């Protein structure tokens, strides 16, 4: 993976995390706890990937 591809991947992951944070807030406000937990799991997985890429 070259530097440009790495930057694109990091940007994409950050966008997904931001989107999921919004979705988590919305799910919480509508008391949709199943969705909230699902989105938190997805966000946490993206954050783990981002952390691994930042440590490369």
């Amino acid at each position: 993976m070259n530097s440009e591809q790495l930057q694109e991947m990091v940007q994409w992951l950050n966008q997904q995390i931001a989107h999921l944070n919004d979705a988590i807030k919305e799910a919480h406000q509508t008391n949709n706890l199943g969705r909230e937990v699902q989105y938190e799991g997805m966000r946490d997985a993206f954050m783990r990937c981002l952390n691994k890429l930042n440590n490369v």
Side-chain angles (χ1 to χ4, degrees), residues 1-11 53-54 56:
M1 181 178 288
N2 67 37
S3 176
E4 186 177 321
Q5 289 173 318
L6 180 60
Q7 288 176 338
E8 288 176 9
M9 179 64 74
V10 167
Q11 182 181 8
L53 287 174
N54 284 330
V56 169

Side-chain angles (χ1 to χ4, degrees), residues 21-37:
N21 280 331
D22 291 340
I24 290 165
K25 288 177 190 173
E26 183 179 328
H28 182 76
Q29 290 171 347
T30 60
N31 293 319
N32 192 338
L33 301 180
R35 287 277 187 211
E36 184 178 355
V37 170

